Amino acid sequence: SQKIEQNSEALNIQEGKTATLTCNYTNYSPAYLQWYRQDPGRGPVFLLLIRENEKEKRKERLKVTFDTTLKQSLFHITASQPADSATYLCALDMDMRFGAGTRLTVKP
Amino acid sequence: GAVVSQHPSWVICKSGTSVKIECRSLDFQATTMFWYRQFPKQSLMLMATSNEGSKATYEQGVEKDKFLINHASLTLSTLTVTSAHPEDSSFYICSASPAGSSYNSPLHFGNGTRLTVT
């Protein structure tokens, strides 16, 4: 069965640095992959979608890459701010199965 | 646009009672809605896919007789937790995708319902 892994449960970085989160998957070839942000006690909010034929997607300070050979997506937040602190989830395709998420904390 | 409203935001009930959670798409029609459950510090676990006018599709291991889903209109899906027990205490979240949107459109999530069964 397909499996989605996000590299770490928690990531702590200093304000201004670039945060890099990883999403790996196995036993599946998604047509696209999505990244969401979830704040405590709230539903996820869509951030970015990247298709299998796209290597990179950007939106303001966010950048997502998709390597179908490595079966991996990287999610970058540049010039991170304390307000970026949240849990970030990746999800595959229409099935919308989510990874466990990475809880990012940006320290001032 | 694309707002999904979930009600109630939290509910406390006694063991053995049933609880209904509503998920509404406020400014769009949704032929498909999804129901998730999330335990503390864990990811969303898909419970079922709710299709307007037809029976829901449940994920393996989810008891359909315990978690009743009704998607009676294009803007409303309900999840009823029947004969709730303390182990059903969790954060329940719904999501929806606008009808007619492409297959890879993002989902819009409600803000979840915190269920506590005492």
Side-chain angles (χ1 to χ4, degrees):
Chain A
S1 61
Q2 58 179 262
K3 192 174 178 182
I4 308 168
E5 290 183 347
Q6 292 191 241
N7 63 324
S8 58
E9 183 178 322
L11 178 65
N12 299 316
I13 64 169
Q14 207 65 36
E15 182 176 10
K17 300 292 185 184
T18 297
T20 298
L21 287 66
T22 304
C23 178
N24 295 297
Y25 57 91
T26 57
N27 299 325
Y28 194 62
S29 296
Y32 61 92
L33 187 148
Q34 301 187 27
W35 283 89
Y36 288 78
R37 166 182 174 145
Q38 186 178 24
D39 290 286
R42 312 283 281 187
V45 174
F46 171 76
L47 295 175
L48 279 169
L49 178 152
I50 187 165
R51 295 179 177 81
E52 60 178 337
N53 60 349
E54 297 175 318
K55 292 201 179 299
E56 182 179 298
K57 202 77 165 289
R58 290 177 184 262
K59 180 182 177 183
E60 298 173 350
R61 293 185 295 112
L62 309 180
K63 184 178 84 171
V64 172
T65 62
F66 194 4
D67 189 325
T68 55
T69 301
L70 292 177
K71 293 186 179 294
Q72 180 182 82
S73 174
L74 299 179
F75 178 81
H76 306 273
I77 305 175
T78 58
S80 60
Q81 305 166 0
D84 295 327
S85 299
T87 296
Y88 292 85
L89 307 167
C90 66
L92 305 182
D93 261 3
M94 284 184 67
D95 287 331
M96 296 309 296
R97 298 178 193 278
F98 285 82
T102 296
R103 189 170 65 254
L104 174 67
T105 302
V106 181
K107 298 182 178 180
Chain B
V3 177
V4 175
S5 174
Q6 215 174 311
H7 179 81
S9 56
W10 61 270
V11 58
I12 301 172
C13 70
K14 292 188 175 181
S15 188
T17 61
S18 295
V19 173
K20 180 184 283 188
I21 302 170
E22 292 187 348
C23 179
R24 291 181 186 274
S25 54
L26 297 186
D27 50 2
F28 66 97
Q29 294 184 329
T31 50
T32 303
M33 291 185 175
F34 301 89
W35 286 97
Y36 297 82
R37 180 167 51 184
Q38 187 175 36
F39 292 105
K41 296 188 177 182
Q42 295 186 26
S43 188
L44 286 77
M45 297 300 296
L46 181 65
M47 298 175 65
T49 302
S50 166
N51 298 296
E52 187 267 336
S54 63
K55 290 184 178 180
T57 302
Y58 290 82
E59 294 298 303
Q60 192 172 8
V62 178
E63 300 174 57
K64 60 182 179 182
D65 294 329
K66 180 169 183 60
F67 299 99
L68 301 178
I69 292 173
N70 186 297
H71 193 157
S73 77
L74 286 172
T75 59
L76 174 65
S77 176
T78 61
L79 168 68
T80 301
V81 183
T82 62
S83 186
H85 291 287
E87 57 264 30
D88 298 324
S89 299
S90 187
F91 192 52
Y92 292 87
I93 310 176
C94 70
S95 69
S97 186
S101 55
S102 60
Y103 75 100
N104 56 5
S105 296
L107 292 180
H108 304 282
F109 285 84
N111 272 325
T113 298
R114 173 75 58 195
L115 170 63
T116 302
V117 184
T118 60

